[in-house]
Amino acid sequence: MLPRRIFPAEGEFLSYLCSNHANRNTMSVLNPSIPKGTRDFTPVEAIRRKYIFSVIENVFTRYGYLPIETPAMENLTTLLGKYGDEGDRLIFKILDSGNFLTGVTEEERLSLTPSKLAGRICEKGLRYDLTVPFARFVVRHRNKLSFPFKRYQIQPVWRADRPQKGRYREFYQCDVDVIGSRSLLNEAELLMIMEEVFRLLGIKVVIKLNHRKILAGIAEYMGVPDKLTGLTQALDKRNKIGDEKVLAELRERGFDEPAVRKMESFLSFSGSNNEKISFLSEKLGNTGQEQTGLDEMAKILTYAAETGVDKSCEFDFTLARGLDYYTGTIFEVVAAGWDGGSICGGGRYDDLTGIFGLPDVSGVGVSFGADRIYDVLAQTGKFPPLQDSSTQVLFLNFGEKELSYILPLVRKLRDHNVAAEVYPDQAKIKKQMQYANQKNIPFVILTGEEEMSQGVVSLKNMETGRQIRVTFEEVADSLIKK
Amino acid sequence: MLPRRIFPAEGEFLSYLCSNHANRNTMSVLNPSIPKGTRDFTPVEAIRRKYIFSVIENVFTRYGYLPIETPAMENLTTLLGKYGDEGDRLIFKILDSGNFLTGVTEEERLSLTPSKLAGRICEKGLRYDLTVPFARFVVRHRNKLSFPFKRYQIQPVWRADRPQKGRYREFYQCDVDVIGSRSLLNEAELLMIMEEVFRLLGIKVVIKLNHRKILAGIAEYMGVPDKLTGLTQALDKRNKIGDEKVLAELRERGFDEPAVRKMESFLSFSGSNNEKISFLSEKLGNTGQEQTGLDEMAKILTYAAETGVDKSCEFDFTLARGLDYYTGTIFEVVAAGWDGGSICGGGRYDDLTGIFGLPDVSGVGVSFGADRIYDVLAQTGKFPPLQDSSTQVLFLNFGEKELSYILPLVRKLRDHNVAAEVYPDQAKIKKQMQYANQKNIPFVILTGEEEMSQGVVSLKNMETGRQIRVTFEEVADSLIKK
């Protein structure tokens, strides 16, 4: 809570610095490194990230979604068991503060497995995604919320994954979900949100969608209703390995030849979204859950057509995604010409809050992967220009008298929302100009004896190199956005 | 990195839900609570927090400060030993992932103290403030940065403090620092920044400032140059306990009677900023560091006067603050009529980056306490109105035909930056209107058979209750901000 920076008692700190100084060539100069899989963001990177977040947030807001925030730390009871065994291993656990060994016997310290012992000395963990904390939030605050509750949440999550290119241990998710409504209009609005976010960012995308009940219908038609999980795991690799290898994997997984042939006929079909729906209706029949799935898909696509986003949408009945968890529509967005994985995805779930004691609440949502979106924009050069400088004008520093002369002008510009800087030190002009160049500042103001006696300043355009003498009013006129 | 939500394998998840369902009345329904000292932020709170951050960020940007971000986790070697023994205890440590006991012998598991054992099973911790990570950042990226480097950073920090009213285990700091310049113009600009932030937020404040060398001069004048720390610790309580008790505490701390009398003469002096400087110059003489301190203070106050912020500034030569750490000017902001502690503070430090191997770099900065600022605004009712709703208009849902009719209008409004919602379900009108009321949505649009046949909609002003029939163009005209 204290905004002040608390540092060690004076003597302690000074002796630390001194001992450090004496040993500068040995190990006591600290390595300024950071934990593997984490990142610093320099100003250019931070400004670009803010740009992505602001585009996304602005769209969420225009669709009536409201922000919430949850703590970085959750109780481990909230997190564990929600993401599978592998997920449990990837959760960062926080050592209890104080004497964390209280209540752990000597025997237990020796005999417990690491994961059991961790459960005794840690009761908190860092959130792994924003979905489980959201479910917990909805239950905790259910009496304060209006349902259907439309929320967005843009916060970091942490996973103890093996770091590799494009995979980090700390990364941001931008989640948008509506909970407490079964209407398919929600799905349609999510399509609009996805289409709009990527259109505004200038990323060409295909929004793939499918329905869990259609996938289940396909498994049934293949005669393997009990092998849905294996089927979807094989289909999930289709983009990477191709149709032939998917079929081979099905054989390996013990699917019989008639089943594999049926899948082959699905994979080889191509057509418009509506043609796909007709094709499947004919193949699968219309008695079971597959018909519900197809009807819902048709309706969502109708909504999409009515709002003009259908051109970006592709009904892909082989899209599998996080099937374990979703119960209705599933979404996944791929960027054209980008093979670094999907940049957005989600779906409908029918009982997210049940584990916290609020059953039968249906919701649907998607999550935008800000870090991958950053990579796509960086690779395609689609970040807007001038994002690496906020300062519009730098006042060079020629000394005290000149400072007194210009400070009122500096203040006036800032009051009118112009980002302005004064070079703080009376350094060589070359050094001050270099600073302006490095920060990409478009204008520089120079003020010498002559300018002061004439009541003007010299305004230099750093791009053209042109320099003119102008009054304060003229500076303000040219820099203040009307 | 994966935006998709990974959930347990289907069977696993379903059996989890089912077992949960069966035992709903026993312990297996999870408690939706959060770790003590942490908070959820509901939409109203989150929107208000965003407002505070955006005001602060906008000011930082107009003064040419650039954003950076650092990871939540730092290596413990970076964090430990920087905040004193008490600080070390308050750092949240993260259990190493995988088998954290590797390399810890059975004997060590039994014999090591908790803090020693923690050092063997944890190599990372959550950041405790933004200052040490900033120092590390500057050293790590020194070749990429332009100096003087002006950065701001708005991120949460974590402290395992005993939670109490107004003190949390996760809270945000908003830091603004310039590093690599000794110019006092930086101090003056920080005064302007503080004055402007609080003026824009509508909080009446006093910005107190002092100088470490003036305090040292006072201790010298009192004949106790070696007791500076004790002196400042006593002075630090002045606001809470009053002058008499400060003097009593000095006696308890072993200050002799002439020293206590001298302090009494300081405490009883009152006057303008300039009068204080004259008073001190006379008392302390002008030979040592105190004169440097007084000269610097005078200059900073001159800059402040030249930009009109001096009226908010009070030179308070008894202000002590984080003296252990600062080497020049110190700042502290108190809100009028608020006794919940300072809401902003900072100062100049001369060797922040030395411990990471980059010595002799001077910097100065302040940190805004967003959580306390929130409390001040909430208590004084100074949050701007309508901050709890972003949606401008709700379209009621009367069924499929009506939806098709209104969706193009919804899209048009959103394209013109009007936040618009469609109630997703075809629920009772009363329920839909209730939703609009709960979300404080100012306009509602109703569309029935009659409106459709006439090519209009009914627009209801939720405040006045007035309802009129208007064309799409008229809706757009009245809601789209020009």
Side-chain angles (χ1 to χ4, degrees):
Chain A
M1 189 55 243
L2 291 171
R4 76 157 67 176
R5 300 95 185 272
I6 294 172
F7 265 76
E10 181 178 30
E12 207 177 324
F13 189 59
L14 289 177
S15 73
Y16 182 83
L17 283 176
C18 293
S19 74
N20 213 40
H21 199 275
N23 298 318
R24 188 152 287 164
N25 297 320
T26 69
M27 52 173 276
S28 70
V29 169
L30 291 173
N31 181 345
S33 66
I34 52 177
K36 65 177 176 181
T38 68
R39 291 164 294 170
D40 282 331
F41 297 108
T42 59
V44 176
E45 294 161 335
I47 289 171
R48 289 178 165 189
R49 287 166 61 83
K50 277 173 193 292
Y51 160 73
I52 294 172
F53 294 135
S54 78
V55 168
I56 291 175
E57 188 167 4
N58 184 268
V59 174
F60 290 171
T61 304
R62 265 185 290 128
Y63 282 76
Y65 287 81
L66 295 172
I68 70 160
E69 283 182 46
T70 63
M73 300 185 280
E74 292 276 354
N75 291 323
L76 280 177
T77 49
T78 298
L79 300 176
L80 292 173
K82 311 301 183 302
Y83 310 102
D85 289 345
E86 176 64 5
D88 283 355
R89 272 190 296 274
L90 299 184
I91 289 169
F92 282 111
K93 295 166 190 73
I94 293 162
L95 197 63
D96 291 344
S97 41
N99 184 354
F100 57 89
L101 288 171
T102 305
V104 185
T105 65
E106 298 211 332
E107 202 203 312
E108 287 171 331
R109 283 180 223 177
L110 298 178
S111 62
L112 288 176
T113 62
S115 80
K116 285 255 164 59
L117 183 59
R120 297 292 297 280
I121 62 180
C122 301
E123 61 179 22
K124 295 178 289 295
L126 293 178
R127 68 173 160 248
Y128 179 90
D129 71 359
L130 301 179
T131 307
V132 167
F134 173 52
R136 180 201 50 68
F137 177 98
V138 167
V139 178
R140 183 159 180 251
H141 303 281
R142 61 186 179 276
N143 297 325
K144 277 188 266 178
L145 306 175
S146 331
F147 290 93
F149 179 51
K150 298 167 77 170
R151 87 85 170 80
Y152 72 85
Q153 189 172 356
I154 299 179
Q155 291 194 285
V157 302
W158 294 268
R159 295 180 187 177
D161 244 327
R162 201 167 52 80
Q164 59 186 65
K165 194 173 149 35
R167 189 194 285 164
Y168 307 104
R169 291 186 150 193
E170 175 180 54
F171 58 96
Y172 267 73
Q173 292 192 330
C174 312
D175 277 27
V176 60
D177 289 80
V178 50
I179 196 162
S181 165
R182 293 186 190 274
S183 166
L184 297 173
L185 192 61
N186 299 303
E187 271 86 342
E189 292 224 330
L190 290 172
L191 290 179
M192 295 180 224
I193 286 174
M194 290 185 271
E195 190 271 340
E196 190 161 343
V197 163
F198 292 113
R199 178 162 41 82
L200 293 175
L201 289 172
I203 301 178
K204 228 177 130 61
V205 297
V206 177
I207 306 169
K208 295 186 174 186
L209 59 166
N210 195 8
H211 198 292
R212 188 209 195 285
K213 288 182 174 151
I214 296 174
L215 273 168
I218 290 174
E220 223 165 274
Y221 169 75
M222 289 167 68
V224 288
D226 53 323
K227 287 186 174 166
L228 180 55
T229 302
L231 174 63
T232 56
Q233 282 168 355
L235 283 177
D236 215 16
K237 301 180 194 160
R238 189 184 181 198
N239 276 337
K240 257 195 202 153
I241 63 176
D243 291 355
E244 277 314 305
K245 286 190 177 160
V246 167
L247 297 175
E249 179 165 337
L250 289 181
R251 286 188 189 97
E252 268 167 47
R253 283 173 182 270
F255 286 68
D256 63 19
E257 210 44 39
V260 174
R261 291 250 182 72
K262 281 178 175 165
M263 180 42 68
E264 197 175 2
S265 74
F266 283 117
L267 293 181
S268 62
F269 182 82
S270 75
S272 71
N273 291 336
N274 287 332
E275 285 163 356
K276 283 181 195 164
I277 290 178
S278 306
F279 167 77
L280 286 173
S281 284
E282 206 172 290
K283 285 268 188 188
L284 305 182
N286 55 3
T287 52
Q289 54 178 342
E290 66 280 2
Q291 195 55 45
T292 310
L294 288 166
D295 287 348
E296 292 195 1
M297 185 58 59
K299 185 146 177 194
I300 293 166
L301 289 170
T302 304
Y303 285 137
E306 282 169 359
T307 51
V309 299
D310 54 325
K311 287 155 226 74
S312 306
C313 299
E314 182 191 326
F315 166 36
D316 176 357
F317 53 78
T318 66
L319 175 67
R321 224 185 139 64
L323 181 72
D324 348 320
Y325 168 50
Y326 297 114
T327 52
T329 324
I330 48 183
F331 305 101
E332 192 162 286
V333 180
V334 291
W338 170 258
D339 60 359
S342 66
I343 54 179
C344 179
R348 179 173 285 277
Y349 38 83
D350 270 344
D351 193 14
L352 187 65
T353 55
I355 43 178
F356 297 104
L358 186 68
D360 305 323
V361 181
S362 186
V364 59
V366 295
S367 181
F368 290 78
D371 298 79
R372 281 194 187 164
I373 291 171
Y374 185 101
D375 291 344
V376 173
L377 289 173
Q379 190 186 279
T380 55
K382 285 281 176 61
F383 279 112
L386 267 178
Q387 284 287 329
D388 52 342
S389 167
S390 57
T391 301
Q392 279 299 298
V393 56
L394 175 73
F395 288 78
L396 298 199
N397 189 333
F398 291 94
E400 290 308 320
K401 258 195 309 188
E402 290 80 359
L403 272 183
S404 303
Y405 177 72
I406 56 171
L407 279 180
L409 175 57
V410 178
R411 167 128 204 190
K412 182 176 179 182
L413 292 176
R414 286 172 176 160
D415 281 349
H416 287 85
N417 225 13
V418 176
E421 282 188 64
V422 184
Y423 194 88
D425 302 279
Q426 203 185 324
K428 285 189 179 143
I429 296 195
K430 194 182 160 191
K431 192 174 173 191
Q432 299 190 41
M433 293 297 273
Q434 211 167 22
Y435 177 85
N437 275 324
Q438 282 169 340
K439 274 187 103 169
N440 273 329
I441 300 173
F443 294 98
V444 159
I445 283 179
L446 306 92
T447 322
E449 290 283 352
E450 236 181 87
E451 280 93 345
M452 283 169 67
S453 68
Q454 293 175 20
V456 296
V457 293
S458 289
L459 177 69
K460 187 183 174 81
N461 181 320
M462 293 294 280
E463 205 184 325
T464 65
R466 199 170 155 241
Q467 186 171 320
I468 47 172
R469 288 204 177 165
V470 283
T471 63
F472 282 17
E473 287 67 35
E474 288 167 329
V475 174
D477 277 349
S478 62
L479 294 180
I480 295 170
K481 288 159 218 130
K482 298 299 176 322
Chain B
M1 192 57 242
L2 291 172
R4 77 158 66 176
R5 299 96 184 273
I6 294 172
F7 266 75
E10 182 178 30
E12 206 176 326
F13 189 61
L14 289 177
S15 74
Y16 183 85
L17 283 177
C18 293
S19 75
N20 214 38
H21 199 276
N23 298 316
R24 189 151 287 163
N25 296 318
T26 70
M27 51 173 278
S28 69
V29 169
L30 291 172
N31 181 345
S33 65
I34 52 177
K36 64 178 175 179
T38 68
R39 292 164 293 170
D40 282 330
F41 297 108
T42 59
V44 176
E45 294 161 337
I47 288 171
R48 290 178 165 188
R49 287 167 61 84
K50 277 173 193 291
Y51 160 73
I52 294 172
F53 294 135
S54 79
V55 168
I56 291 175
E57 188 167 5
N58 184 267
V59 174
F60 290 171
T61 304
R62 265 185 290 127
Y63 282 75
Y65 286 82
L66 295 172
I68 70 161
E69 282 183 46
T70 63
M73 299 186 281
E74 293 276 354
N75 291 322
L76 279 177
T77 49
T78 298
L79 299 176
L80 292 173
K82 312 301 184 302
Y83 311 102
D85 289 345
E86 176 63 5
D88 283 355
R89 272 191 295 275
L90 299 184
I91 289 170
F92 281 111
K93 295 166 188 74
I94 293 160
L95 197 64
D96 292 344
S97 41
N99 184 354
F100 57 89
L101 288 172
T102 304
V104 185
T105 65
E106 298 211 332
E107 202 204 311
E108 287 170 332
R109 283 180 223 178
L110 298 178
S111 63
L112 289 176
T113 62
S115 80
K116 285 254 164 60
L117 183 59
R120 297 292 297 279
I121 62 180
C122 301
E123 60 179 22
K124 296 179 288 295
L126 294 178
R127 69 174 160 247
Y128 180 89
D129 72 0
L130 302 178
T131 306
V132 167
F134 173 51
R136 179 202 50 68
F137 178 97
V138 167
V139 178
R140 182 159 180 250
H141 302 281
R142 60 186 178 278
N143 297 325
K144 277 188 266 178
L145 305 176
S146 330
F147 289 93
F149 179 52
K150 298 166 78 170
R151 87 86 170 81
Y152 72 85
Q153 190 172 357
I154 300 179
Q155 290 194 285
V157 302
W158 294 268
R159 295 181 186 176
D161 246 326
R162 203 167 51 81
Q164 58 186 64
K165 194 174 151 31
R167 189 193 286 162
Y168 307 104
R169 291 186 151 192
E170 174 180 54
F171 59 95
Y172 267 74
Q173 292 192 329
C174 312
D175 277 26
V176 59
D177 290 80
V178 49
I179 195 162
S181 165
R182 293 185 190 274
S183 165
L184 297 173
L185 192 61
N186 298 303
E187 271 86 343
E189 292 224 329
L190 290 172
L191 290 179
M192 294 180 225
I193 286 173
M194 291 186 269
E195 190 271 340
E196 190 160 345
V197 164
F198 292 112
R199 178 162 41 81
L200 293 176
L201 288 172
I203 301 179
K204 227 178 131 59
V205 297
V206 177
I207 306 169
K208 295 186 174 188
L209 61 166
N210 194 9
H211 198 291
R212 188 208 196 283
K213 287 182 175 152
I214 295 174
L215 273 169
I218 290 173
E220 221 166 275
Y221 168 75
M222 289 166 69
V224 289
D226 53 321
K227 287 186 172 166
L228 180 56
T229 302
L231 175 64
T232 56
Q233 282 169 354
L235 283 178
D236 216 16
K237 301 181 194 162
R238 189 184 181 197
N239 276 337
K240 256 195 203 154
I241 62 176
D243 291 355
E244 278 313 305
K245 286 190 178 160
V246 167
L247 297 174
E249 180 165 337
L250 288 180
R251 287 189 188 98
E252 269 168 46
R253 284 174 181 269
F255 286 67
D256 63 18
E257 209 45 39
V260 173
R261 292 251 180 71
K262 281 178 174 166
M263 180 42 68
E264 196 175 4
S265 73
F266 283 116
L267 293 182
S268 62
F269 182 83
S270 75
S272 70
N273 290 337
N274 286 333
E275 284 163 354
K276 284 181 194 162
I277 289 178
S278 306
F279 167 77
L280 285 173
S281 284
E282 206 172 292
K283 284 268 187 188
L284 305 182
N286 55 2
T287 52
Q289 56 178 342
E290 67 279 3
Q291 194 55 44
T292 309
L294 288 166
D295 287 348
E296 293 195 1
M297 184 58 59
K299 184 146 179 194
I300 293 165
L301 289 170
T302 303
Y303 284 136
E306 281 171 359
T307 51
V309 299
D310 54 325
K311 287 155 225 78
S312 306
C313 298
E314 182 191 326
F315 166 37
D316 176 356
F317 53 79
T318 66
L319 175 68
R321 226 188 135 65
L323 180 72
D324 348 320
Y325 169 49
Y326 297 114
T327 51
T329 325
I330 48 183
F331 304 101
E332 193 163 285
V333 179
V334 291
W338 170 258
D339 59 1
S342 66
I343 55 179
C344 179
R348 179 173 285 277
Y349 39 82
D350 271 343
D351 192 14
L352 186 65
T353 56
I355 45 178
F356 296 105
L358 186 68
D360 305 324
V361 181
S362 187
V364 59
V366 294
S367 181
F368 290 79
D371 297 80
R372 281 194 187 165
I373 291 171
Y374 185 102
D375 291 345
V376 173
L377 288 173
Q379 190 186 281
T380 55
K382 285 283 175 58
F383 278 111
L386 267 177
Q387 284 287 327
D388 52 344
S389 168
S390 56
T391 301
Q392 279 298 299
V393 56
L394 175 74
F395 289 79
L396 298 199
N397 189 332
F398 291 94
E400 290 309 320
K401 260 196 309 189
E402 289 80 359
L403 271 183
S404 304
Y405 176 72
I406 57 171
L407 279 180
L409 175 57
V410 178
R411 167 127 205 191
K412 182 176 180 181
L413 292 176
R414 285 172 177 160
D415 281 348
H416 286 84
N417 225 13
V418 176
E421 283 187 63
V422 184
Y423 194 88
D425 302 280
Q426 203 186 325
K428 285 189 180 144
I429 295 195
K430 194 182 160 191
K431 192 175 172 189
Q432 299 191 41
M433 293 297 274
Q434 211 168 25
Y435 177 85
N437 275 324
Q438 282 169 339
K439 274 188 103 168
N440 273 329
I441 300 174
F443 294 99
V444 159
I445 284 178
L446 306 91
T447 322
E449 290 283 351
E450 237 181 270
E451 281 92 346
M452 283 168 66
S453 69
Q454 296 175 21
V456 296
V457 294
S458 289
L459 177 70
K460 188 184 175 79
N461 181 321
M462 293 296 279
E463 206 185 323
T464 64
R466 202 172 152 238
Q467 187 171 318
I468 47 172
R469 287 204 177 164
V470 284
T471 63
F472 282 17
E473 288 66 35
E474 288 166 329
V475 173
D477 277 349
S478 61
L479 293 180
I480 294 170
K481 286 160 219 132
K482 299 298 176 322

